[in-house]
Amino acid sequence: MIDFHLDARSGVSPYQQLVHQVQQALRLGLLSVGDQLPTVKEVMAKVAINPNTVLKAYRELEHLGLAAARPGLGTFVTRSLAGDTLAAHQPLRVELQTWLDKALRAGLDADSIEALFMATFRQATDLRKATEASR
């Protein structure tokens, strides 16, 4: 079961945060086709959110073809986003955990770690795109 959380400082609307968290769980194989999403009441209790916000997120997931509501039963995952690379996740997770441990020992806080990771990720992505475009 997914464990939702909200970040008021993110600048991303609460319903979009819920949608992104479901998408991320689907990509990581944490949710599978047939899994039930938490009920609106469960999400409300966990993250202190308006029920209409949860319903909006779930409707967006339905629109994306990722979930479907079953009246009286709940909302269920209908499609996975986990690709063929799922097997590579665990070794990469171990390497990333080692890197995170080094960053924390070096004195970086969570915001600095995120900034460093995202800047490096964007740079690597831009380089890859440039390399592919020059072929």
Side-chain angles (χ1 to χ4, degrees):
M1 169 108 26
I2 189 168
D3 188 26
F4 290 118
H5 57 278
L6 296 178
D7 181 358
R9 300 178 307 136
S10 74
V12 177
S13 67
Y15 97 92
Q16 274 300 111
Q17 289 185 51
L18 297 179
V19 170
H20 291 158
Q21 288 172 44
V22 170
Q23 290 173 319
Q24 184 177 37
L26 290 169
R27 281 186 184 90
L28 295 174
L30 302 175
L31 284 174
S32 302
V33 173
D35 286 350
Q36 183 175 5
L37 296 177
T39 66
V40 172
K41 286 183 182 181
E42 290 170 339
V43 179
M44 287 172 40
K46 171 72 176 153
V47 296
I49 191 173
N50 184 303
N52 291 328
T53 303
V54 181
L55 290 169
K56 184 176 181 178
Y58 283 10
R59 280 193 307 271
E60 177 68 14
L61 291 166
E62 287 184 61
H63 176 74
L64 294 170
L66 300 175
R70 295 183 193 157
L73 297 175
T75 303
F76 294 83
V77 173
T78 57
R79 185 166 60 98
S80 176
L81 295 175
D84 297 337
T85 62
L86 194 56
H89 286 201
Q90 187 56 33
L92 291 170
R93 186 182 304 250
V94 170
E95 288 181 44
L96 184 56
Q97 184 62 54
T98 300
W99 181 85
L100 287 170
D101 290 342
K102 288 179 184 178
L104 290 168
R105 282 195 309 273
L108 278 73
D109 64 8
D111 290 335
S112 297
I113 290 171
E114 182 179 4
L116 177 59
F117 178 84
M118 290 308 298
T120 306
F121 175 76
R122 280 190 296 276
Q123 182 182 18
T125 302
D126 290 347
L127 180 61
R128 183 174 183 175
K129 286 178 185 175
T131 303
E132 289 174 357
S134 67
R135 289 182 187 170

